[in-house]
C-alpha cells in the first residue's frame, strides 16, 4: 500500500510540475499510433534487409499496370522510405493528422492492389510486407491484416479529432 501511495505521489508531482499525462485516456489515445509505428518500422526494416518477395509482388502488380514495369526495386525502396517516415511521424506524435491521412492512403493503396490480385485469382505465398522477418502471409492474410490496419488508422484519426476538439475548447 505504501508503494502505491509513493508512486501516486511521484506521478502526481510529474503531472503537476511538468505537465506529464499518465491517465488512461492519454495512454489509450496513443495506442493506435504506437501500434502503427511499430508495424511500419518492422515492415520497413524487414524489407530493407530482404526485399525479394516485395519486388515479386510489385512485378505481379506491374503486369496489371504496365507503366510501372522495370521500376520494381525503386518502388520497394520508396515504400521502405515512406514506411519509416510514417513511423517517425507516428512515434513523434507531430503532425498526427497528416500521418494518419497518409497512412490510410498508403495502406489503402496496397489493399486495393492486393484486392485486385485476389479478385483475379492470383496466388502468392508471401506478399513480402515484412521482408526478412517473414511473417507476411499470402494474399488473404495480407488483405485481412490491411483491413485491421485501416481500422486502426481510422480509430487513431478519430481519437485525434476528439483530442483536438477537447484541447481547443
Amino acid at each position: 500500500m505504501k508503494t502505491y501511495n509513493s508512486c501516486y505521489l511521484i506521478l502526481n508531482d510529474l503531472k503537476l510540475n511538468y505537465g506529464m499525462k499518465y491517465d488512461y485516456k492519454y495512454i489509450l489515445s496513443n495506442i493506435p499510433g504506437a501500434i502503427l509505428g511499430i508495424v511500419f518500422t518492422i515492415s520497413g526494416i524487414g524489407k530493407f534487409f530482404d526485399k525479394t518477395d516485395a519486388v515479386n509482388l510489385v512485378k505481379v502488380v506491374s503486369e496489371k499496370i504496365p507503366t510501372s514495369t522495370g521500376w520494381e526495386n525503386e518502388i520497394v525502396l520508396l515504400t521502405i522510405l515512406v514506411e519509416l517516415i510514417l513511423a517517425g511521424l507516428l512515434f513523434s506524435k507531430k503532425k498526427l493528422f497528416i500521418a494518419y491521412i497518409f497512412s490510410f492512403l498508403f495502406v489503402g493503396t496496397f489493399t486495393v492492389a492486393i484486392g485486385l490480385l485476389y479478385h483475379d485469382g492470383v496466388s502468392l505465398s508471401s506478399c513480402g510486407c515484412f521482408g526478412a522477418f517473414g511473417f507476411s502471409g499470402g494474399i488473404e492474410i495480407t488483405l485481412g491484416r490491411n483491413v485491421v490496419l485501416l481500422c486502426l488508422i481510422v480509430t487513431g484519426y478519430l481519437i485525434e479529432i476528439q483530442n483536438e476538439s477537447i484541447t481547443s475548447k
Side-chain angles (χ1 to χ4, degrees), residues 119-139:
H119 181 266
D120 290 346
V122 175
S123 177
L124 294 171
S125 60
S126 174
C127 67
C129 298
F130 293 97
F133 296 115
F135 36 82
S136 295
I139 289 180

Side-chain angles (χ1 to χ4, degrees), residues 103-124:
S103 295
F104 188 85
L105 293 172
F106 183 71
V107 174
T109 300
F110 282 102
T111 304
V112 168
I114 292 170
L116 291 173
L117 293 177
Y118 179 76
H119 181 266
D120 290 346
V122 175
S123 177
L124 294 171

Side-chain angles (χ1 to χ4, degrees), residues 50-108:
D50 182 11
K51 61 184 183 218
T52 308
D53 288 336
V55 169
N56 288 335
L57 175 65
V58 174
K59 284 180 183 177
V60 171
V61 171
S62 68
E63 291 173 2
K64 305 279 180 202
I65 309 167
T67 56
S68 65
T69 305
W71 292 88
E72 291 85 5
N73 282 314
E74 290 79 4
I75 290 171
V76 172
L77 289 174
L78 182 62
T79 301
I80 293 168
L81 181 65
V82 169
E83 286 173 330
L84 295 177
I85 289 171
L86 288 172
L89 286 172
L90 290 163
F91 285 138
S92 72
K93 298 181 199 139
K94 298 185 191 272
K95 309 285 185 192
L96 278 175
F97 283 116
I98 293 171
Y100 283 125
I101 289 168
F102 278 104
S103 295
F104 188 85
L105 293 172
F106 183 71
V107 174

